[in-house]
Amino acid sequence: MSALEEALNHSKNVGVDECEIVVLKKKIITVRITDSEIAETKQNFDESYGIRLIHNKKIASIQITNQQKIKDAINDSLKTLHSLKPREFWRGLPSKIKSQKLDGTYDKNLANISGSQAMDIAESMINATNSYKINTITGSLNIVSDDFELENSNGLKLKEKSTYISGIINAESESGTLPVSGIGHDCCRTLSNFSTEQIGNDAKNMCLESINPQKIDSDTYSIIFEPYSVGELLSFVIASNFNFKTFAEKKSCFSNDFEKEIAVKQFSLIDDPHISEGIGTKSVDDEGIKTQKRSLIENGIFKNTFSNLFDSYKEGKQSSGNALRLGSPMGRSSEPIPISAPHNLKINPGESSQEDMIKDTKHGLLIGRLWYTYAVNPIKGDFSCTARSGIKIIENGEIKGPGKSVRIIHNLADMLKNISEIGNNQKNIIQWASLPSIAPSIKAGKISVKSI
């Protein structure tokens, strides 16, 4: 008997109203790069189980790694129900649904890749970064393959195989007046679309072009955020404002702005769960609800939020198909209680090249990477971040040279209404432990920065 059958049969026999079980088989290959060489290669193979029980509208959960203990875990969990508060708004798990196979979500070459092949890819990343002015190269390569199964007592059955690959290189140089660094990154779902050499070249170029940085005066600038830094803002500042729970609890800086203009007309932000090669792409969410492309901001207007079953039911609404069981470093997990999150946050590209954006900038900065990005006052939209890598000073349409670190303390609502250009250089992005996004460069004006 499979783990799925065992959990559902036993929960039925003991009289549980509803049962949901997740079975996840996951293979992770991680190659760690330190001191310009491969320091470690790890291969992990895990199988785990997540079970959610609903009885008399009380919700209990279990996560285990031993199939033989499923019955005992269910029994132990039932003993805790008496102390739990009933969720009177709960309206039930979904029933049968048919998943759709989406392009660019599974690659047998990645699923079957060996540790030695992964090391060859990492070595190519290092080789592309090498330069006599680069002192140290660090980074990692992660390749994930997961086999996800979801069933519940209402007849829902879902089985999906997925693959993911992500690489990052940080190049450091001490050739100039100060130590500087540069980053290169790529992520996708199939091996043929992974840009190994581009990762190294991007890290090398950003680092070398940052040598001998000049002090940046504290002032107000137009800032061109490159795709990787835009991804940082999307993940750690912007996304949470469109979570339905945050919105409903009046904790979003846009809670009073539904169907109102919150950004410039040319700005559209979409949650796209169907785009090929997207790290979060899937046809059905992790509760069994069909996913759909949703415009969160459409031509500057706040149009939609995202949510899972629990958060939607609480407010008398329907799930948007955004229940996720996020796994590390990518893919899914067997977490018994899913969260609400976007699948792939995508900013529609504009028509400007980054070169043209620079030419159109009189007094500005180009920023390749942000650090320590977080909301200072989420309800008001205030946030803080530090630009430390890939900073360039722009004067009268020309790059005058690299700049030193600066701190940005700004407001999200103000930034979205002062976007002047959107680039045509859309790129897949995922930082460690963050949300996947697809973003171009963005130029926003009237941003105050402080010299560090």
Side-chain angles (χ1 to χ4, degrees), residues 3 23-26 45-49 64-67:
V23 178
L24 183 74
K25 298 174 183 176
K26 192 163 189 172
F45 302 88
D46 295 320
E47 184 168 345
S48 56
Y49 312 89
I64 58 175
T65 56
N66 187 343
Q67 182 180 343

Side-chain angles (χ1 to χ4, degrees), residues 63-323:
Q63 188 175 30
I64 58 175
T65 56
N66 187 343
Q67 182 180 343
Q68 307 303 318
K69 295 184 178 180
I70 285 178
K71 289 183 180 180
D72 290 340
I74 290 175
N75 292 337
D76 291 341
S77 184
L78 289 175
K79 294 175 184 177
T80 68
L81 285 175
H82 74 277
S83 62
L84 299 177
K85 178 182 177 181
R87 305 295 181 171
E88 300 296 345
F89 54 80
W90 181 257
R91 290 155 57 185
L93 294 168
S95 55
K96 298 177 182 179
I97 191 170
K98 185 177 181 180
S99 64
Q100 174 188 355
K101 182 173 174 57
L102 299 175
D103 292 336
T105 57
Y106 179 77
D107 180 6
K108 64 180 182 181
N109 293 318
L110 278 181
N112 298 323
I113 202 167
S114 66
S116 61
Q117 288 173 309
M119 289 173 66
D120 289 341
I121 295 172
E123 196 65 53
S124 295
M125 290 162 54
I126 295 170
N127 292 338
T129 315
N130 277 326
S131 166
Y132 73 95
K133 288 186 178 182
I134 301 290
N135 298 96
T136 306
I137 300 168
T138 58
S140 64
L141 173 71
N142 287 290
I143 300 172
V144 176
S145 172
D146 63 34
D147 189 342
F148 178 85
E149 291 184 80
L150 170 69
E151 290 193 18
N152 69 33
S153 52
N154 293 336
L156 183 140
K157 294 184 179 183
L158 172 67
K159 186 172 183 178
E160 198 164 82
K161 291 185 177 182
S162 306
T163 53
Y164 312 83
I165 181 169
S166 175
I168 188 167
I169 284 288
N170 192 67
E172 299 178 5
S173 175
E174 297 179 0
S175 298
T177 55
L178 290 172
V180 294
S181 64
I183 192 172
H185 165 74
D186 192 28
C187 60
C188 56
R189 304 289 291 273
T190 60
L191 185 57
S192 61
N193 281 290
F194 187 64
S195 304
T196 304
E197 291 186 1
Q198 191 65 49
I199 295 171
N201 286 330
D202 287 349
K204 175 173 63 179
N205 293 337
M206 183 185 288
C207 181
L208 296 181
E209 291 170 6
S210 298
I211 292 175
N212 295 326
Q214 305 302 305
K215 181 181 179 180
I216 297 172
D217 293 331
S218 296
D219 200 355
T220 300
Y221 294 86
S222 291
I223 295 182
I224 301 171
F225 295 98
E226 292 193 287
Y228 195 81
S229 57
V230 175
E232 184 105 357
L233 291 170
L234 284 171
S235 181
F236 297 111
V237 176
I238 298 174
S240 61
N241 290 285
F242 298 92
N243 185 315
F244 179 66
K245 181 177 185 291
T246 304
F247 171 81
E249 293 176 351
K250 301 294 184 180
K251 294 179 180 178
S252 164
C253 67
F254 302 122
S255 284
N256 297 318
D257 296 321
F258 189 68
E259 292 285 359
K260 294 180 183 179
E261 183 179 306
I262 61 171
V264 295
K265 189 174 181 180
Q266 65 264 41
F267 184 84
S268 292
L269 177 63
I270 296 154
D271 180 28
D272 190 346
H274 300 156
I275 191 167
S276 180
E277 299 292 336
I279 296 297
T281 295
K282 55 176 71 74
S283 65
V284 178
D285 80 352
D286 295 348
E287 287 181 313
I289 302 294
K290 186 177 179 180
T291 59
Q292 55 186 319
K293 188 175 178 180
R294 296 175 70 80
S295 292
L296 305 178
I297 303 175
E298 184 178 343
N299 299 325
I301 306 297
F302 180 7
K303 285 290 187 181
N304 285 296
T305 57
F306 54 81
S307 67
N308 60 13
L309 285 171
F310 185 92
D311 294 337
S312 299
Y313 286 166
K314 191 175 181 180
E315 301 296 330
K317 304 292 185 180
Q318 297 293 324
S319 169
S320 66
N322 285 86

